[in-house]
Amino acid sequence: MSAPLGYDLIVQQLIPGYASLARLAVALLAASPLASRTGAGVLVAGCGTGAELVEARAQRPDWQLTAIDPSAEMLAAAQKRLGSEGIQWRQTTVEELQADACFAGALSVLVLQSLPDDGTKLAFLTALARSLEPGGQLVLVDLMAPERSPLQNQVDAAWLGFQRASGLEAEPRDLEPLTQGLHPIGEARLNALVNAAGFSDPARIFQALSYEGFLLQRRP
Ligand SMILES: C[S@@+](CC[C@H](N)C(=O)[O-])C[C@H]1O[C@@H](n2cnc3c(N)ncnc32)[C@H](O)[C@@H]1O
């Protein structure tokens, strides 16, 4: 994904709850048994323009942060925001990272949703689990497929209302990376995938319309 013009504003106007997501995700990880340790290693997978990194720096300046993203434009935007010092920057995917048991915790916000469920999601989650120490935790936030409900039309209408009320006026092409080519899955499928990848069952920690967040722990 390339960094669309105005990504940081667009994402807040498009995604309900986004403004507090990074804060919540970092606070959760900081309360985990392993990542609460001073100087814990934390992976930000798909760091984009750096929202989670800004929050991690503010809440836990002692964390050893590794920020990865396959997009050179996204990484450049994040580095501009945070400066290149004090963070290990890598232009790569999680699957290519090869960092076995290196991290006490990891964050993955709005990344899994863009990967097809043809083995790619499982490979991503397996690589994330492998990168964590046993007992390490992952905060995963993603667009989820809607459950079958007669009220789903209302949820969809509310999402459009949220965007209008937030003043979203972006060109459709600037929204494409966040709205097109997505592969959301339902909760049962997510449970199956994370279990196969080596995580325990997810605990839901956030929901705003169809965006949901989960806390996962690598099995010993
Ligand atoms: C929608 S952006 C989210 C960025 C940031 N986490 C946020 O919340 O604003 C998704 C990011 O994931 C990156 N990405 C896509 N596939 C990835 C993979 N396999 N491993 C790591 N990052 C990936 C994209 O390049 C993009 O920057």
Side-chain angles (χ1 to χ4, degrees):
M1 179 192 283
S2 58
L5 206 60
Y7 172 91
D8 297 317
L9 177 62
I10 290 174
V11 77
Q12 289 192 42
Q13 294 172 325
L14 185 71
I15 297 179
Y18 181 84
S20 54
L21 261 183
R23 182 157 298 170
L24 177 64
V26 169
L28 268 160
L29 210 53
S32 72
L34 298 189
S36 59
R37 297 177 306 199
T38 304
V42 169
L43 173 67
V44 180
C47 67
T49 59
E52 299 96 288
L53 294 164
V54 169
E55 198 53 45
R57 272 250 177 102
Q59 291 188 42
R60 289 298 303 262
D62 60 296
W63 274 354
Q64 304 291 313
L65 293 168
T66 298
I68 70 167
D69 202 293
S71 158
E73 281 172 280
M74 285 295 205
L75 272 182
Q79 284 175 340
K80 191 170 170 206
R81 193 169 178 185
L82 284 124
S84 49
E85 300 295 306
I87 294 174
Q88 294 264 359
W89 301 96
R90 299 275 308 274
Q91 185 184 352
T92 184
T93 62
V94 170
E95 301 89 308
E96 289 166 350
L97 182 63
Q98 299 194 345
D100 287 6
C102 280
F103 302 105
L107 301 166
S108 167
V109 179
L110 307 176
V111 184
L112 185 71
Q113 61 186 28
S114 64
L115 307 179
D117 191 11
D118 58 0
T120 312
K121 281 187 196 292
L122 180 59
F124 175 83
L125 289 166
T126 302
L128 270 178
R130 214 176 41 227
S131 77
L132 289 168
E133 299 171 43
Q137 293 185 355
L138 164 70
V139 178
L140 178 77
V141 181
D142 232 28
L143 176 68
M144 298 293 287
E147 302 297 331
R148 283 177 193 279
S149 159
L151 300 178
Q152 186 58 40
N153 286 346
Q154 185 178 339
V155 175
D156 295 342
W159 189 21
L160 291 177
F162 172 86
Q163 293 167 24
R164 272 195 304 274
S166 303
L168 183 65
E169 285 175 354
E171 293 292 324
R173 75 166 179 281
D174 288 333
L175 293 175
E176 270 173 25
L178 289 160
T179 57
Q180 303 295 305
L182 301 184
H183 307 276
I185 53 175
E187 198 176 344
R189 181 65 184 147
L190 180 68
N191 278 4
L193 284 174
V194 300
N195 270 290
F199 288 105
S200 57
D201 282 341
R204 186 187 282 99
I205 45 88
F206 170 89
Q207 178 162 9
L209 301 181
S210 296
Y211 288 90
E212 298 183 36
F214 300 93
L215 183 61
L216 311 168
Q217 183 158 309
R218 179 181 167 174
R219 286 197 300 269

